Amino acid sequence: MLLLLGYGMVATFMVLIMTKRMSALVALALVPIAFGLVAASPDAVGKMMMEGITKLAPTGVMLTFGILYFSIMTDAGLFDPLIRLVVRFVGHDPLKLLVGTAVMGTAVALDGDGATTYVICVTALLPLYQRLGVRLQYLATVLLMSIGIMNIVPWGGPTARAAAAMHVDVADVFLPLIPVMLMGFAYQVGVAAYLGMRERRRIGALTMPDMENAVLADIDGSSDIRRPAMMIPNLLLTLALLYALIKGILPLPALFLVATTIALLLNYPKLKDQHARLATHASNVLAVVSLIFAAGIFTGILSGTGMLKAMSDGLLNVMPGWLGPYMAPATALLSAPATYVLSNDAFYFGVLPILAETAATYGISAAEMARASLLGQPLHLLSPLVASTYLLVALLDIEYGDNQRSSLLWVLGLVVVMVIGALVIGVIPLVSKA
């Protein structure tokens, strides 16, 4: 009974969001309630809902202030010097342009938002690509890899979902993955350099009179919200935040809350300016955080009713015995195609808990499974379910299908590098020790 209810609940949730009959927010809340009432009394279902929401409250707070912090830093112009440096570094060389794109894209993607990264980087770099005659598809491919790597930051979304589904602390999932992300960045720079050398051989070096000044003028277009005088304080604040995050001086929610309030006070001391910044980014915050709290209902009922355990036991019975000890790398490899055909919500809240419950019988921890599940994120960016990719191809006026074909192998290579890196440094176990 519980087994059928569990799979029925997950399948219904996936079908509703994939066919766009319901939004993820609505499905995460209403579907588990409907199935939960079949398995338990209304009072028990209510307690399960609140237990799930309570467990995810710290994640919701962390996401709220994490998104706000990096949005404020972008508004204030923290990344503008990097953009200027990249533009000046590029000169007339396609190789430098591609490598500079990788560096800029990864730095700007620190806020974890694909749409923002694409708009900032394309606005700054498109005139250079057009003047040099460098293929715009290469710009798209390199930026996709930037988001594929940086989407793993806790405020980017997938890590928060994985941690929420596994009921583990976000820091336990994210911090061990930082070296893996650096390996991914090294691969990205290598790919960018290779593509740049191809373009250098194809078109050589061209002259760009006054192009640098024109691009830099475009970068400075939003001067009304920029705070160039606060560049050093903003940089020091961000470095202090990252140091405190890595050292675990305070819980992540508290760190981002404090950092956000300081950032607002430093850059926008007037109350009306603070309200304007918060209002500008409120929709982004609400879209992500509301999903996290709705996910608390989903995971609370799935676990509280016993459906999750029944589903795990069922999977264990049909799974080949030899695969069990290798659940971590299997999940890492599965996460790439799974998050391509499924939304992140469907995979992390519907599939991952079942895999993790099974892995637990072999001594593989929930945190390790959460980390493994994030390594396929680069391929997820090519999914037709990702809206920001449509924005990217629209900004560059390239065909969506051409982007898929041109970027696929490079992105798959990024996934492989990150999975191998995670196994080598022990972020996820190759085989369970149980």
Side-chain angles (χ1 to χ4, degrees):
M1 173 70 170
L2 288 175
L3 178 64
L4 293 177
L5 282 175
Y7 278 113
M9 175 173 144
V10 172
T12 302
F13 166 70
M14 290 182 177
V15 169
L16 288 174
I17 64 173
M18 291 176 66
T19 58
K20 299 184 178 179
R21 301 290 179 87
M22 285 187 182
S23 67
L25 174 65
V26 174
L28 278 169
L30 296 186
V31 171
I33 292 173
F35 279 84
L37 289 173
V38 178
S41 67
D43 286 344
V45 170
K47 290 179 181 178
M48 296 172 198
M49 293 166 61
M50 290 310 301
E51 287 175 0
I53 292 172
T54 300
K55 288 181 179 178
L56 298 191
T59 300
V61 174
M62 184 276 297
L63 279 175
T64 297
F65 292 102
I67 294 170
L68 285 176
Y69 180 82
F70 284 103
S71 297
I72 291 167
M73 287 295 112
T74 301
D75 291 344
L78 177 63
F79 301 111
D80 288 356
L82 173 65
I83 296 174
R84 294 189 186 95
L85 179 65
V86 169
V87 171
R88 292 190 173 112
F89 163 79
V90 164
H92 311 151
D93 189 347
L95 171 59
K96 292 181 179 179
L97 178 58
L98 267 298
V99 172
T101 299
V103 174
M104 180 193 296
T106 302
V108 176
L110 187 63
D111 69 350
D113 180 64
T116 301
T117 301
Y118 297 149
V119 170
I120 292 174
C121 293
V122 170
T123 300
L125 297 175
L126 183 58
L128 297 173
Y129 274 79
Q130 291 174 328
R131 188 58 181 262
L132 281 175
V134 177
R135 291 185 177 95
L136 297 184
Q137 178 57 62
Y138 291 167
L139 172 58
T141 299
V142 173
L143 289 181
L144 281 166
M145 287 193 285
S146 289
I147 295 296
I149 297 166
M150 298 306 290
N151 206 27
I152 296 176
V153 296
W155 46 92
T159 299
R161 287 177 171 89
M166 297 292 91
H167 297 291
V168 296
D169 190 275
V170 174
D172 291 339
V173 178
F174 170 65
L175 295 181
L177 285 173
I178 292 176
V180 178
M181 295 169 67
L182 292 174
M183 294 178 190
F185 175 65
Y187 168 85
Q188 179 198 12
V189 171
V191 171
Y194 172 76
L195 297 177
M197 286 188 289
R198 288 176 58 175
E199 288 299 88
R200 179 191 276 176
R201 288 193 296 268
R202 185 176 70 87
I203 62 179
L206 301 177
T207 59
M208 298 189 299
D210 299 324
M211 180 54 62
E212 178 183 302
N213 291 335
V215 173
L216 293 178
D218 288 340
I219 294 170
D220 294 327
S222 302
S223 58
D224 55 328
I225 60 173
R226 292 292 194 265
R227 297 294 185 266
M230 299 305 300
M231 186 64 62
I232 297 301
N234 284 337
L235 178 60
L236 293 176
L237 177 61
T238 302
L239 291 175
L241 172 63
L242 295 175
Y243 176 81
L245 184 152
I246 293 171
K247 289 293 185 179
I249 293 174
L250 288 174
L252 262 64
L255 281 175
F256 277 110
L257 191 157
V258 172
T260 300
T261 55
I262 294 174
L264 275 173
L265 192 61
L266 285 175
N267 293 282
Y268 306 101
K270 294 181 180 178
L271 195 58
K272 65 180 183 65
D273 291 336
Q274 293 180 11
H275 287 163
R277 294 300 91 221
L278 294 175
T280 298
H281 303 296
S283 60
N284 290 335
V285 173
L286 182 61
V288 176
V289 175
S290 60
L291 279 176
I292 294 301
F293 287 116
I297 294 176
F298 189 97
T299 58
I301 292 176
L302 187 68
S303 177
T305 56
M307 295 180 196
L308 182 58
K309 187 177 187 309
M311 295 165 73
S312 173
D313 291 342
L315 181 61
L316 192 60
N317 290 333
V318 300
M319 187 180 68
W322 62 266
L323 183 60
Y326 300 94
M327 282 297 290
T331 298
L333 294 174
L334 173 65
S335 67
T339 55
Y340 181 87
V341 299
L342 301 174
S343 70
N344 275 340
D345 299 304
F347 177 70
Y348 288 110
F349 299 127
V351 178
L352 179 59
I354 302 171
L355 297 174
E357 189 74 13
T358 305
T361 63
Y362 294 93
I364 302 171
S365 72
E368 289 170 332
M369 288 296 288
R371 294 172 206 147
S373 71
L374 294 166
L375 299 176
Q377 274 300 301
L379 187 61
H380 172 69
L381 270 297
L382 290 178
S383 170
L385 303 173
V386 178
S388 64
T389 306
Y390 293 100
L391 171 64
L392 176 62
V393 298
L395 289 170
L396 296 175
D397 194 24
I398 58 179
E399 291 294 328
Y400 186 87
D402 292 341
N403 179 61
Q404 296 280 83
R405 287 189 293 273
S406 299
S407 301
L408 181 60
L409 289 179
W410 298 118
V411 171
L412 281 175
L414 177 58
V415 172
V416 171
V417 166
M418 293 174 68
V419 171
I420 292 174
L423 290 169
V424 169
I425 65 176
V427 170
I428 61 173
L430 174 62
V431 60
S432 71
K433 298 176 182 179

